[in-house]
């Protein structure tokens, strides 16, 4: 029997082999670090809190959601904050992460004199099937909130037409009226 002249693959025998193994190990480490950096960069690019320069997300309703979060969850997270529009007066809506919200309606002129200059609605909200759902649970003045609830209903489910860092467009249940909310900084 002739003794084998091949060196075992798992152990370097001389210093030349040791340097080769060190180079291979360094190369593998560099590749793994590069892959980790790439995965981190891809994860940050699709993170709902980092898509826009202002930390917002831009989603088109009906598209697929990147990452592990559902599209509804991405929309919900992106909607958190304070928004204003000017539909029948100045409306300021603050959507909080815990699912509660406040909408303050400031009326002027004859509307303010006949109804109230300021109406505050306490709301619970969510996003389901690409719709922003809001339900009024209280507010002040209580008699005016009760009047609004009787006339317009206590809850709405408005399709989200657009949600960017600065704009939230919702479609009224009439299918025609579009509410154009702008983010307040």
């Amino acid at each position: 029997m002739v003794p084998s002249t091949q060196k075992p693959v798992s152990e370097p025998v001389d210093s030349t082999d040791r340097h080769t193994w060190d180079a291979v190990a360094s190369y593998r480490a560099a590749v793994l670090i590069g892959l980790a950096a790439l995965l981190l960069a891809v994860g940050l690019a699709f993170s709902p809190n980092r898509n826009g320069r202002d930390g917002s997300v831009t989603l088109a309703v009906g598209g697929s959601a990147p990452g592990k979060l559902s599209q509804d969850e991405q929309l919900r997270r992106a909607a958190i904050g304070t928004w204003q529009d000017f539909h029948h007066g100045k409306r300021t809506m603050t959507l909080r992460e815990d699912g509660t919200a406040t909408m303050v309606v400031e009326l002027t002129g004859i509307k303010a004199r006949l109804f109230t200059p300021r109406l505050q609605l306490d709301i619970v909200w969510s996003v389901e099937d690409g719709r922003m759902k809001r339900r009024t649970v209280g507010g002040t003045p209580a008699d005016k909130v009760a009047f609004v609830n009787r006339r317009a209903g206590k809850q709405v489910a408005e399709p989200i037409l657009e949600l960017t860092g600065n704009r939230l467009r919702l479609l009224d249940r009439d299918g025609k009226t579009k509410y154009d909310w702008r983010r307040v900084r």
Side-chain angles (χ1 to χ4, degrees):
M1 181 174 278
V2 178
S4 172
T5 57
Q6 292 184 345
K7 299 171 201 154
V9 175
S10 60
E11 296 182 21
V13 174
D14 61 26
S15 64
T16 305
D17 287 340
R18 186 164 280 118
H19 291 300
T20 302
W21 279 96
D22 288 345
V24 169
S26 295
Y27 176 76
R28 285 182 182 164
V31 168
L32 289 175
I33 290 170
L35 284 173
L38 178 64
L39 290 173
L40 180 62
V42 168
L44 291 176
F46 287 110
S47 170
N49 292 328
R50 289 183 169 80
N51 274 2
R53 286 188 300 185
D54 57 358
S56 64
V57 69
T58 302
L59 293 174
V61 176
S64 61
K68 295 180 182 180
L69 297 176
S70 71
Q71 181 174 345
D72 285 343
E73 180 60 17
Q74 289 185 45
L75 289 168
R76 188 194 71 77
R77 288 183 181 196
I80 293 169
T82 302
W83 303 87
Q84 280 184 346
D85 84 346
F86 296 90
H87 183 78
H88 295 298
K90 179 180 170 185
R91 300 191 303 172
T92 304
M93 177 172 62
T94 302
L95 304 171
R96 291 182 280 283
E97 189 171 354
D98 67 358
T100 63
T102 305
M103 184 183 299
V104 175
V105 181
E106 298 172 71
L107 301 172
T108 59
I110 190 91
K111 291 178 184 178
R113 283 184 290 210
L114 293 176
F115 191 67
T116 186
R118 185 178 189 279
L119 178 70
Q120 178 178 314
L121 303 171
D122 299 324
I123 299 167
V124 293
W125 74 283
S126 63
V127 175
E128 295 175 30
D129 299 323
R131 295 173 177 268
M132 179 169 289
K133 292 187 167 190
R134 297 188 312 269
R135 181 172 49 91
T136 303
V137 294
T140 56
D143 61 327
K144 305 301 184 194
V145 171
F147 175 81
V148 170
N149 286 341
R150 283 191 305 274
R151 186 150 187 252
K154 285 181 99 166
Q155 56 191 19
V156 297
E158 299 167 333
I160 299 172
L161 301 176
E162 179 182 2
L163 176 53
T164 66
N166 296 316
R167 190 174 192 188
L168 170 61
R169 290 181 55 233
L170 302 173
L171 181 64
D172 187 77
R173 67 178 115 201
D174 69 10
K176 296 176 187 171
T177 307
K178 295 175 184 172
Y179 304 113
D180 194 6
W181 295 89
R182 301 298 172 132
R183 189 177 297 272
V184 176
R185 299 281 170 213

